[in-house]
Amino acid sequence: MNQKNLLEVDWSKIPAPTDDGAAAHLVGMMIPPVTLLATDDNSVMLSALSGRTVVFAYPRTGEPGKISLVDDWDMIPGARGCTPQTCSFRDLFAELKAAGANHVFGLSTQDNVYQTEMASRLHLPFPVLSDEKLALTRALKLPTMQVAGLTLIKRLALIIDSGRITHVFYPVFPPDRNAGDVLAWLRENPA
């Protein structure tokens, strides 16, 4: 299936993910000292960042006009919507910062070369982290799914305060509202 417009999605035709409990263990966990490559060519260790950090994770962003990873991608609960989720964080970036987010990052298991192209194409004001080797995913036991032989992170968002996870948004649906939900939480829960 060709991915024509990644942003215009009729969410009523996309199956919503259910809460499978796979993120229930995350609140209160310390972030392990894992270094990830970012799209700004920096190495980032989330555990070393002070203040409040927002990390939103997604399975993988697509490329307009390219073939989907699998034909039924849109019918996998939680798969469709990575680009709308990412763009919503882009569009609310200044407000997220004003509401107390010292750092905002995207996170996927896609390689840094692809993520850098995507970050440029979507004009992202924040870096995207590559967990291509699944180091952070495995250390935190993040919820994952297997698609076409790849391990992909299920969509979620983490609020991290000085290295400790204090809130988790999971499951996330529809994806384009995730940034607004995070923003509302930040405003209601100042650091």
Side-chain angles (χ1 to χ4, degrees), residues 30 40 48 52 62 68 75 79 83 135:
M30 294 299 295
D40 61 5
R52 182 161 274 177
S68 306
M75 294 300 103
T83 300

Side-chain angles (χ1 to χ4, degrees), residues 4-177:
K4 292 183 175 122
N5 189 327
L6 299 172
L7 291 172
E8 293 178 17
V9 182
D10 180 352
W11 297 115
S12 69
K13 295 181 179 176
I14 304 293
T18 57
D19 190 347
D20 57 6
H25 66 285
L26 292 171
V27 172
M29 283 187 74
M30 294 299 295
I31 299 292
V34 172
T35 302
L36 301 173
L37 186 58
T39 52
D40 61 5
D41 290 327
N42 286 312
S43 293
V44 175
M45 186 180 296
L46 295 169
S47 62
L49 299 177
S50 61
R52 182 161 274 177
T53 300
V54 172
V55 177
F56 68 96
Y58 55 87
R60 60 185 294 117
T61 55
E63 291 181 74
K66 297 276 177 128
I67 301 298
S68 306
L69 188 59
V70 292
D71 285 341
D72 61 347
W73 178 256
D74 286 0
M75 294 300 103
I76 300 170
R80 178 70 191 263
C82 303
T83 300
Q85 181 188 23
T86 301
C87 289
S88 71
F89 276 92
R90 175 199 64 200
D91 296 346
L92 291 177
F93 178 73
E95 292 175 69
L96 291 162
K97 296 285 280 183
N102 300 91
H103 312 278
V104 176
F105 297 100
L107 172 70
S108 82
T109 58
Q110 288 174 286
D111 67 56
N112 184 259
V113 172
Y114 175 78
Q115 289 177 332
T116 299
E117 182 281 325
M118 178 271 306
S120 174
R121 175 172 32 95
L122 298 178
H123 308 288
L124 302 183
F126 51 81
V128 177
L129 305 174
S130 174
D131 193 16
E132 181 180 16
K133 295 182 179 169
L134 304 173
L136 184 66
T137 300
R138 288 185 178 132
L140 286 175
K141 297 181 181 162
L142 294 177
T144 60
M145 60 180 155
Q146 301 295 316
V147 179
L150 300 173
T151 299
L152 307 176
I153 303 170
K154 289 185 179 180
R155 190 177 323 285
L156 57 83
L158 305 172
I159 308 296
I160 304 166
D161 288 309
S162 298
R164 182 179 301 278
I165 299 171
T166 54
H167 193 76
V168 177
F169 296 83
Y170 179 84
V172 169
F173 191 82
D176 61 346
R177 287 206 296 243

